[in-house]
Amino acid sequence: MRGRRMTSRAECAADVRISVRVVCLKEMHRRVSGLVALAQLPDDWREGYWSRSGEPAKIVQQHETQLAGIRKEGCLVAPSPIIVGGQDYAAPVLGAGGSLLGVLCMSRLSRVGESVGHEVFRDAVMDCAAAITAEFGPQSDLNVAGDADDENDD
């Protein structure tokens, strides 16, 4: 686990494993969660990151195009770079002013004959990240359930 430190882990007999990791900021562009984090960071921070990365300008531009797509979609679904045959689903958790608090990332292996599409897992990760953001992030004119002002419902 080079560059990472396990901080919490829970396992059970089911096909479920939950872990929370604190990751270093080196080579963020090589992980799905890191790409989602980079996509949410300010331009000047990303410029500094890329200047330290050692990546050629052409590769940086390809990544920046991908990061713009991640910002537009609000998530990233991509083959896992660390789990052979796995699919990673990642969405940002935002704080006040839209600042990045963290990234929620789920890795998944598909079973033979499984008919559940990727959109189900993508939507679940995005909904969970949005719920965490609502709990810890900025408050808006909408309540957590998404209902408009309750005063107008009389």
Side-chain angles (χ1 to χ4, degrees):
M1 295 197 2
R2 193 173 102 201
R4 293 184 283 183
R5 181 176 53 112
M6 184 71 68
T7 58
S8 179
R9 184 178 185 140
E11 293 191 40
C12 68
D15 293 337
V16 174
R17 183 181 71 175
I18 298 171
S19 59
V20 176
R21 294 188 178 108
V22 176
V23 298
C24 71
L25 300 179
K26 184 179 178 185
E27 297 190 345
M28 291 172 63
H29 62 287
R30 301 200 189 280
R31 301 282 190 263
V32 174
S33 59
L35 286 168
V36 170
L38 279 171
Q40 301 303 316
L41 295 174
D43 293 345
D44 59 335
W45 199 99
R46 286 195 326 274
E47 288 171 12
Y49 173 83
W50 290 123
S51 69
R52 291 183 302 276
S53 75
E55 293 288 355
K58 183 177 180 180
I59 298 298
V60 169
Q61 185 53 51
Q62 290 172 351
H63 280 298
E64 282 294 322
T65 300
Q66 182 183 23
L67 298 178
I70 294 167
R71 283 189 295 276
K72 181 179 177 186
E73 293 295 319
C75 69
L76 177 60
V77 176
S80 176
I82 57 176
I83 299 174
V84 176
Q87 191 78 4
D88 285 351
Y89 303 79
V93 175
L94 304 175
S99 62
L100 181 69
L101 292 179
V103 176
L104 177 65
C105 185
M106 178 189 91
S107 297
R108 173 176 175 265
L109 292 171
S110 298
R111 296 178 186 274
V112 174
E114 191 171 52
S115 62
V116 178
H118 290 296
E119 58 281 343
V120 171
F121 297 97
R122 179 203 61 216
D123 292 350
V125 167
M126 290 180 69
D127 289 349
C128 186
I132 297 168
T133 293
E135 187 70 26
F136 296 104
Q139 300 298 313
S140 69
D141 292 338
L142 298 178
N143 65 29
V144 176
D147 299 327
D149 307 326
D150 289 334
E151 299 96 58
N152 296 333
D153 292 342
D154 294 334

